[in-house]
Amino acid sequence: MAFDLVFFGGTGDLVWRKLMPALFQAFRHGTLPDAGRIIGVGRDDLSDEQYRQQIQSRFEQVEGDKRPKPEEFARFASLLCYVRMDLSQPAAYAALASRLAERETDHVVMYLSTAPSLFTTVCEQLAASGLNTPKTRIVLEKPLGHDLASNRAINHAVGLAFKEQQVFRIDHYLGKPAVQNLFAMRFGNALFEPLWRREHIANIQITMSEELGVEKRGGFYETTGALRDMVQNHALQLLCAIAMEPPINAHADAIRDEKLKVLRALKRWTPETLSQHVIRGQYSAGNIEGKAVPGYREERGVDPQSSTETFVALRTEIANWRWAGVPFYIRTGKRMASREAHIDINFRPTPHEIFKSPVGQVNKLVIHLQPKDGLELHLFAQGQSKRGQGNGTLSPVHLDLDFDKRFGSERVGAYERLLLDVLDGRLNLFVRSDEQEEAWRWVEPILQHWQGDTNGPRPYAAGTWGPSAASAMIARDGFCWSEEN
């Protein structure tokens, strides 16, 4: 299959840090289709060879085993070329059109790795220059807007130039192998589905925590915050994967129809639930792995009086027959005690206790997303005394399925998987416009509530699990976060 893959923002951070290494891994694995060409687009005045040299120098910062050997990069570099463009200038698109006209391809992928403010301009100019052909696919990176109105405006502008089946709204969390296994676990096995409902599940917790702060992205984070950066997209997509009904088949729209139903069934916010069930925080100075780190307001590019949240914890419910009354808890933050992402499915206790269970512990399924990738099933078992008799007291045991150990070299990174899906035209792991708008519709009352809240985010020391109010919120339901067990 012959293709052209065009990176708008081709000299930017995302391209050299994530996208180019992912493409190289696909090239190394032999899964990148033949007859491909990768075109970087940017403002810098570079030749094709200078662009290749720039990418090669960036590859030196890639982790060891993913770093190409000189002879490997030489072969990969033959796919790379460069077009200088000022994306705000209509005349610049003629240069890209000329480069694309050099050869016939099956597909042309336009990957917008730029500021979202340029999405509308780029789509309009691609259409004006005749580059929105039926064989064109466009990839949009998050964030797509900063609220519902701006998201709708972007989707409208994109929709005027491209059909929905040509648009790939990327959420790299959906490309993670562990998330793929979440779908496989639910819909490829008969074991859990009969238990996957309110009669058997007490609560579900989604945690996505980072040890890192905002690093060099203070300016970006000031206009974004944790709710827009993590909850509106990643966390809600995970919630949909957990809570959706089985789709009628594995086709993209069948899956996305079911996710949309979950988003529409999320309980709407009220003034009472906004004040009690949403906690925002901001990290202050603390310690990470024994090293002192500054607070958010001391980070470069951050307003010393900033009220931007670096932590969000919230409680919600899904108003349908499967999940009625089951609380879903979402928690995400920067500068927390550890870097991990996991989903805890906490089951209800046995209806009639004939054994003495460990205090405060429950049967649960833990789905690890990062850095570990796998499943843990936590059960209770009875040991035997030396006389061969049980004492009626149960002890916790667990089954640990480590997918990295099982699949090892067969694992494919998130961006590698998603880029290959774009080239193949598979939309299953990409977000449809109505999904995205429904997520913004649910999140927007929180943003509006915070605008009128003069108290601002609650401080929490770097290296902890966030403000104590997050623990108090879940404790009101009689539960606790997983690390508090």
Side-chain angles (χ1 to χ4, degrees), residues 262-406:
V262 173
L263 293 169
R264 287 176 172 167
L266 286 172
K267 278 197 171 180
R268 299 305 175 193
W269 297 107
T270 67
E272 181 182 12
T273 58
L274 284 168
S275 62
Q276 292 185 3
H277 295 165
V278 182
I279 308 297
R280 60 170 168 162
Q282 184 186 90
Y283 66 82
S284 57
N287 288 278
I288 300 288
E289 296 182 347
K291 295 181 180 179
V293 295
Y296 176 72
R297 294 180 179 181
E298 287 84 56
E299 301 278 17
R300 189 171 66 184
V302 173
D303 182 350
Q305 304 300 318
S306 175
S307 61
T308 299
E309 80 285 356
T310 63
F311 172 95
V312 176
L314 60 85
R315 178 198 190 276
T316 188
E317 293 183 23
I318 298 172
N320 64 18
W321 275 38
R322 181 185 287 265
W323 296 113
V326 176
F328 286 73
Y329 304 101
I330 293 172
R331 176 178 58 165
T332 184
K334 291 187 173 293
R335 287 292 190 214
M336 294 180 69
S338 68
R339 173 184 176 266
E340 55 187 88
H342 56 84
I343 302 164
D344 290 47
I345 314 292
N346 294 299
F347 292 94
R348 296 188 185 278
T350 54
H352 175 63
E353 189 173 75
I354 61 174
F355 294 100
K356 186 176 181 181
S357 301
V359 176
Q361 298 194 43
V362 296
N363 296 145
K364 65 179 178 179
L365 175 68
V366 182
I367 304 163
H368 291 283
L369 305 176
Q370 68 178 31
K372 182 180 178 180
D373 178 5
L375 302 175
E376 287 181 11
L377 183 59
H378 292 247
L379 306 169
F380 301 134
Q382 185 176 33
Q384 294 293 316
S385 69
K386 291 181 179 179
R387 295 181 180 179
Q389 297 176 338
N391 59 9
T393 300
L394 301 181
S395 299
V397 295
H398 71 273
L399 303 174
D400 189 351
L401 306 177
D402 190 323
F403 292 140
D404 281 327
K405 289 181 180 177
R406 167 59 183 85

Side-chain angles (χ1 to χ4, degrees), residues 31 33-34 116 185 194 230 247 264-265 283 292 382 436 438 449 454:
T31 54
D34 295 332
M185 181 198 70
M230 296 295 290
R264 287 176 172 167
Y283 66 82
Q382 185 176 33
Q436 205 170 57
E438 197 62 44
H449 173 70
T454 58

Side-chain angles (χ1 to χ4, degrees), residues 109-150:
V109 175
M110 308 288 191
Y111 197 119
L112 272 58
S113 177
T114 66
S117 58
L118 287 171
F119 287 177
T120 298
T121 299
V122 172
C123 288
E124 289 173 348
Q125 293 306 320
L126 289 174
S129 55
L131 292 175
N132 60 333
T133 68
K135 69 178 183 180
T136 304
R137 296 166 184 162
I138 187 160
V139 183
L140 304 176
E141 269 284 348
K142 77 171 185 70
L144 262 71
H146 59 275
D147 56 16
L148 179 59
S150 57

Side-chain angles (χ1 to χ4, degrees), residues 236 239-240 256-268 317-320 432-435 437-439 441-442:
L236 287 185
L239 185 148
C240 287
R256 299 193 292 185
D257 286 346
E258 296 303 335
K259 289 196 292 177
L260 180 62
K261 290 176 185 177
V262 173
L263 293 169
R264 287 176 172 167
L266 286 172
K267 278 197 171 180
R268 299 305 175 193
E317 293 183 23
I318 298 172
N320 64 18
R432 205 166 58 191
S433 61
D434 52 1
E435 280 183 81
E437 290 187 17
E438 197 62 44
R441 185 177 289 109
W442 185 76

